[in-house]
Amino acid sequence: MHREPGRVRRAEAAKSHTVYNQAVKEAARIISHAREQAHQIRQAALMEAERDAKAIREAAYAEGLALANPVFAASEAERRAIGRLRLQAATDEIYGPRLKDAS
């Protein structure tokens, strides 16, 4: 029995087409897997960057407080001194100046 040349070509073409389809599916699977891995890598990098940013913000806040505390303390001391002077001036106005050397 002799095969017909057209039938052989169609059978080979069908096999080639099947192999091609399998290769396309495998390529699509590989690409999908690579995209998923890239997404996971991006997410991990984003989370790490957010952690780093939080640590930097906290450090900057602490440093800012450390720098600002002496200024706040000086401001508070100045405000209290002004308050004492005003109270002393009001007291002196009502009761007269105190005699420091009243011996």
Side-chain angles (χ1 to χ4, degrees), residues 7-86:
R7 185 178 286 193
V8 171
R9 276 185 257 153
R10 281 193 299 272
E12 288 174 356
K15 286 179 187 177
S16 296
H17 192 64
T18 302
V19 170
Y20 172 78
N21 284 342
Q22 288 173 346
V24 168
K25 286 179 185 176
E26 181 65 15
R29 187 191 66 75
I30 291 169
I31 291 169
S32 175
H33 182 68
R35 283 185 179 149
E36 179 59 30
Q37 285 183 331
H39 176 71
Q40 289 175 357
I41 290 168
R42 280 192 305 272
Q43 288 301 107
L46 178 63
M47 287 173 31
E48 184 177 351
E50 287 172 350
R51 279 194 307 270
D52 291 348
K54 182 179 179 185
I56 290 169
R57 280 192 304 272
E58 288 172 353
Y61 179 75
E63 185 176 345
L65 285 179
L67 293 173
N69 276 339
V71 174
F72 288 148
S75 174
E76 182 68 14
E78 183 180 352
R79 188 187 63 75
R80 286 183 183 169
I82 290 171
R84 276 192 227 103
L85 289 173
R86 286 182 179 162

